[in-house]
Amino acid sequence: MGRSAPIYIVGDIHGHVRVLQRLLQEVYLINAQQHWTGGTATLWLLGDLVDRGPDSIGVIDLVMRLQTEAAVVGGMVDCLLGNHEILMLGAYQFGRRSTGLSSNFITKWRRNGGAKADLAKLTMQHLNWLNERPVMAQIDDTLLIHADSTFYTRYGHSINEVNETFHALLKRSNTLAWEELIESFSMRGVFIHQYSGGEFIDRFTQIFGGERIIHGHTPISTMLGGLAKKVTQPYIYASGRCINVDGGIYMGSNGFVYQMPISQAEP
Ligand SMILES: [Mn+2]
């Protein structure tokens, strides 16, 4: 069975709720009142909803509500966890505690664009919702991840295993494990590496399945040079096997929504 409803992918929003509203309106997934009008469409956000921008909690609220509204009409909205969700959750849970190996959790988060007022706005609903989000997903032959990094393999060798390991870790108060996760989740740029990128893509897709990878995390202008403002579309590289959807909204890009092409393969 081929899928018929369109699938949309959105990269790192980083607190820019008005940009997200505009982007979703432009592809008719929401109306001017910010309600879901996408019908049975699927919308995936690839993480880093929060930090650096003006209204992180507003972004979470919007995505949570759209998830509920979409489900009612047979659509689907979901979001992967990015490193900034983990940074914020760590700051919330551990505050100024430190493992002694590096700065405490609040300082680390603030240094990465965390806004202190957001911690007080986080409700149990937000926390429970964030704690349940996946870190990896697959659509047809395409893997969805936040970071252009292979660190995911440290947490499991299947999508389910990685998601379950993350969820178990987030429930524990093991500050060392959290710190290690935050450190390794900040790595980037593996798949575009001039000599070894292709090999990393091969190994990654051999382990997790799929033919290609869609990721965010590394603004396209950081990857290619130039101004974020000029970035208006995904960056497809590694002979089409990698698609970077991080427009660099917090650096001044207007952002974009990536619509996945309909798969030609019939199972
Ligand atoms: Mn990130």
Side-chain angles (χ1 to χ4, degrees):
M1 269 199 350
R3 57 183 159 81
S4 49
I7 298 173
Y8 299 91
I9 313 278
V10 169
D12 311 41
I13 294 297
H14 281 304
H16 287 269
V17 69
R18 286 181 179 258
V19 175
L20 178 59
Q21 289 166 354
R22 174 178 49 75
L23 290 174
L24 298 181
Q25 282 170 17
E26 282 170 4
V27 292
Y28 306 104
L29 287 179
I30 65 173
N31 62 18
Q33 290 72 43
Q34 331 300 347
H35 288 295
W36 180 257
T37 50
T40 57
T42 291
L43 168 65
W44 272 100
L45 292 102
L46 296 196
D48 282 6
L49 299 183
V50 301
D51 299 345
R52 305 196 195 282
D55 190 2
S56 293
I57 308 302
V59 175
I60 299 174
D61 281 332
L62 177 61
V63 175
M64 284 177 70
R65 182 169 55 74
L66 293 179
Q67 183 173 57
T68 306
E69 292 181 5
V72 171
V73 292
M76 212 278 290
V77 173
D78 210 341
C79 176
L80 299 179
L81 290 173
N83 55 311
H84 281 267
E85 280 73 48
I86 308 293
L87 277 160
M88 188 179 71
L89 290 169
Y92 182 88
Q93 186 163 337
F94 302 120
R96 303 219 169 265
R97 272 171 72 183
S98 167
T99 60
L101 294 176
S102 69
S103 51
N104 69 68
F105 284 87
I106 294 244
T107 300
K108 210 186 299 268
W109 172 61
R110 299 269 286 145
R111 225 179 259 155
N112 282 281
K116 221 165 173 194
D118 287 343
L119 292 190
K121 293 185 205 157
L122 280 171
T123 64
M124 281 314 293
Q125 281 80 9
H126 295 132
L127 295 166
N128 289 337
W129 185 79
L130 288 169
N131 280 321
E132 286 165 7
R133 301 282 53 81
V135 282
M136 298 185 75
Q138 183 170 359
I139 299 170
D140 300 333
D141 56 3
T142 303
L143 290 170
L144 307 183
I145 51 178
H146 171 71
D148 48 336
S149 162
T150 55
F151 91 98
Y152 296 94
T153 58
R154 296 182 188 178
Y155 294 89
H157 280 186
S158 73
I159 291 173
N160 280 341
E161 208 182 349
V162 172
N163 287 334
E164 281 170 19
T165 306
F166 261 71
H167 292 153
L169 194 153
L170 294 181
K171 280 189 199 126
R172 291 205 310 270
S173 294
N174 182 338
T175 48
L176 269 175
W178 275 72
E179 182 161 283
E180 191 188 31
L181 172 56
I182 287 168
E183 293 304 321
S184 48
F185 212 159
S186 67
M187 295 189 294
R188 66 179 79 250
V190 163
F191 303 131
I192 200 166
H193 190 277
Q194 188 179 359
Y195 301 112
S196 53
E199 206 178 305
F200 280 120
I201 297 165
D202 286 342
R203 281 168 52 194
F204 199 76
T205 51
Q206 271 160 22
I207 291 169
F208 292 111
E211 292 289 327
R212 71 182 65 77
I213 296 164
I214 305 184
H215 69 80
H217 186 55
T218 303
I220 290 165
S221 62
T222 302
M223 210 173 237
L224 298 180
L227 295 173
K229 230 177 11 186
K230 295 194 171 164
V231 174
T232 57
Q233 55 183 24
Y235 177 53
I236 301 175
Y237 63 100
S239 310
R241 300 188 70 201
C242 275
I243 302 173
N244 183 351
V245 293
D246 182 2
I249 288 169
Y250 83 91
M251 299 166 89
S253 168
N254 286 326
F256 53 79
V257 178
Y258 174 62
Q259 184 177 352
M260 281 179 68
I262 301 296
S263 168
Q264 300 301 309
E266 291 290 325

